Amino acid sequence: MPLLEVRELGVRYDKAQILNGVSLEVGEGELVGLVGPNGAGKSTLLRAVSGLVRFEERMKRGTSGDIVISGEVRFAGERIDALSPHEIRRRGLALCPERRRPFRELTVLENLRAGAFLSADAAATQRLLERAFALFPRLAERREQVSGTLSGGEQQMLATARSLMFEARLLAIDEPSLGLAPKIRDELFSAIRKIHAEGVTVLLVEQEVGQVFRMADRNYVLSQGRIIAQGASKSLMADETLRAGYLGL
């Protein structure tokens, strides 16, 4: 049984159909890549899986600009598409969103502790803090620094670490390398590999297609709200139409 199972997922914002019948699976222990051109719907897919689109739909219900969601999302065999984001997070599905978004006025340490808001276990929180600092030594050096003064790369490290501050079975990461220098990207991808090696399942959305394909067990290609291809990196790279038209290679 897959850890994450998405079946015929559709998302429409007013008259714009963002996702149209998307289906995918992520097995326990896998690192799965999700790639495709800008505007394909990759971020919307992660937001739908983690409950954020459903939360938006509830907030906008009865107003102009309706959001319509269809299909099913299951996590560890349980249907979760009707649950709130915090209920989904409590089950072990964590989202590290695009563009980092730390609490800018809080310190690094305060941001990390905020990520553990669902936990009442002080010992577990301390253990996860130690893991975060081991994964990202820069954060340990800057633990008392206000997050809004961090570099973009350090903010991405913080966002990734914060998403792991309550036990995660699956980490969905949205465009972690966006706007980062090559050296910082390398550090970040190294940390993602370590997170995966520690037993966390990873669903990775990333613009650096070559990097994703080197890391992933399997990949999905999303375009115009639909999955147009899936498979191992080698087979996808061998398809010249995909390489030129959808992978930017």
Side-chain angles (χ1 to χ4, degrees):
M1 179 179 65
L3 180 59
L4 175 67
E5 186 176 10
V6 178
R7 286 286 171 262
E8 296 296 321
L9 183 63
V11 175
R12 191 179 80 234
Y13 283 85
D14 198 9
K15 296 180 180 180
Q17 191 74 36
I18 310 301
L19 298 177
N20 196 342
V22 172
S23 297
L24 61 80
E25 296 180 353
V26 181
E28 184 107 44
E30 283 193 304
L31 194 161
V32 173
L34 177 64
V35 300
N38 290 336
K42 302 185 297 295
S43 294
T44 299
L45 175 57
L46 295 194
R47 289 173 61 80
V49 164
S50 62
L52 292 176
V53 173
R54 180 70 69 185
F55 178 76
E56 291 174 13
E57 183 267 337
R58 286 171 178 159
M59 293 300 99
K60 289 175 68 68
R61 194 171 294 167
T63 69
S64 60
D66 288 340
I67 302 171
V68 179
I69 308 166
S70 58
E72 294 186 8
V73 180
R74 294 181 180 274
F75 186 71
E78 176 188 5
R79 189 165 177 179
I80 62 169
D81 47 85
L83 300 182
S84 66
H86 78 272
E87 290 171 325
I88 292 173
R89 181 65 187 90
R90 190 180 292 280
R91 283 158 174 76
L93 196 162
L95 171 65
C96 182
E98 184 183 13
R99 301 191 185 278
R100 302 174 272 277
R101 300 174 185 171
F103 299 114
R104 296 180 63 83
E105 71 281 4
L106 301 183
T107 66
V108 167
L109 183 58
E110 288 168 338
N111 262 275
L112 291 174
R113 291 194 180 280
F117 76 100
L118 289 174
S119 177
D121 188 335
T125 298
Q126 184 59 37
R127 176 175 55 79
L128 291 170
L129 268 176
E130 292 170 1
R131 180 174 75 162
F133 290 143
L135 281 168
F136 300 107
R138 291 189 188 208
L139 297 183
E141 297 169 4
R142 291 161 173 73
R143 68 179 69 200
E144 300 301 333
Q145 187 170 330
V146 175
S147 299
T149 65
L150 298 175
S151 71
E154 290 163 348
Q155 288 187 16
Q156 183 61 59
M157 293 175 187
L158 176 58
T160 305
R162 188 179 63 189
S163 65
L164 293 168
M165 283 301 298
F166 186 74
E167 291 289 359
R169 293 181 66 183
L170 186 149
L171 176 61
I173 314 176
D174 194 0
E175 300 280 14
S177 77
L178 189 65
L180 302 185
K183 182 179 178 182
I184 301 299
R185 288 203 302 262
D186 290 344
E187 289 182 29
L188 190 61
F189 287 130
S190 177
I192 292 171
R193 287 190 183 94
K194 291 177 183 176
I195 291 166
H196 178 235
E198 290 176 359
V200 178
T201 302
V202 176
L203 175 58
L204 177 61
V205 168
E206 175 52 48
Q207 59 179 344
E208 294 285 342
V209 174
Q211 181 68 59
V212 176
F213 279 12
R214 286 191 291 273
M215 296 170 63
D217 300 301
R218 295 184 298 110
N219 305 277
Y220 290 90
V221 182
L222 187 69
S223 180
Q224 297 182 335
R226 299 177 182 272
I227 298 292
I228 61 167
Q230 59 180 291
S233 301
K234 186 175 181 180
S235 63
L236 295 178
M237 289 284 280
D239 187 320
E240 291 297 333
T241 301
L242 282 177
R243 284 171 58 88
Y246 301 99
L247 303 181
L249 300 172

